[in-house]
Amino acid sequence: MIIKQASLETVCGITSRLPENGRPEVAFAGKSNVGKSSLINTLMNRKSLARTSSQPGKTQTINFYNVNDSLYLVDLPGYGYANVPQAEKEKWGKMIERYLRISSQLRAVFLLIDIRHEPGQNDKTMYEWICANGYEPVILVTKLDKIKRSQTQKQLKLVRESLNVRSGTQIIPFSSQTGQGREEVWELIEGVCSDFQEVR
């Protein structure tokens, strides 16, 4: 994918109405510190379009990034941040659920998991949640550059078994530092978006 134009077009809070976009959407879900913003910046060849922060829990809205006026990358609120009040977490959860349930343009959901750690209960819940809403999430295992190459297969197996992923689920190792996995992700995105154009 050659990125000619990329911009943050719509920001939706808890009470916001979701946009009625006429273009396909792909969404990214993951824990607050899993590297979603860095991944989105890497995909779009931008350094700071999606804000990154050393403080987890910054993404409290659903952010729609317009790419080439042809599709949207959708950054969902990060989950699992301990310092956020429970009531706030529940609101974010409802916001994510509402989006997954009612967006007619959503064509794929990517679930980000930090390769350094075993998926937690929040990750398992989100995986099942995405599946329950009719999607087969692609697992993006982030921060690949933070571990030794010899550890990669062991950690991928841990992710696969901990999430109890369904047969055929795609798992892609990704590094925002080296760009590994970027082309694979774009290939998947372009595939589902071309299908969208055909069925419209």
Side-chain angles (χ1 to χ4, degrees), residues 7-19 21 49 51 58-66 72-75 77 95 98:
S7 62
L8 175 59
E9 183 173 292
T10 308
V11 176
C12 290
I14 292 167
T15 60
S16 302
R17 181 177 178 180
L18 292 170
N21 295 320
L49 183 57
R51 291 184 188 176
K58 286 299 261 186
T59 304
Q60 303 177 15
T61 53
I62 299 178
N63 298 333
F64 292 79
Y65 294 92
N66 183 334
Y72 290 93
L73 302 187
V74 183
D75 186 7
M95 186 162 50
R98 178 167 63 109

Side-chain angles (χ1 to χ4, degrees), residues 55-116:
Q55 178 186 354
K58 286 299 261 186
T59 304
Q60 303 177 15
T61 53
I62 299 178
N63 298 333
F64 292 79
Y65 294 92
N66 183 334
V67 181
N68 294 346
D69 282 328
S70 62
L71 62 96
Y72 290 93
L73 302 187
V74 183
D75 186 7
L76 299 175
Y79 57 82
Y81 184 44
N83 288 357
V84 175
Q86 183 61 34
E88 196 72 13
K89 292 179 185 177
E90 290 175 1
K91 288 179 182 178
W92 295 356
K94 289 177 181 178
M95 186 162 50
I96 295 172
E97 183 182 31
R98 178 167 63 109
Y99 172 72
L100 292 175
R101 191 176 68 248
I102 72 174
S103 174
S104 59
Q105 293 84 7
L106 182 58
R107 286 299 175 267
V109 182
F110 292 87
L111 177 60
L112 279 63
I113 303 292
D114 189 330
I115 196 168
R116 299 173 297 176

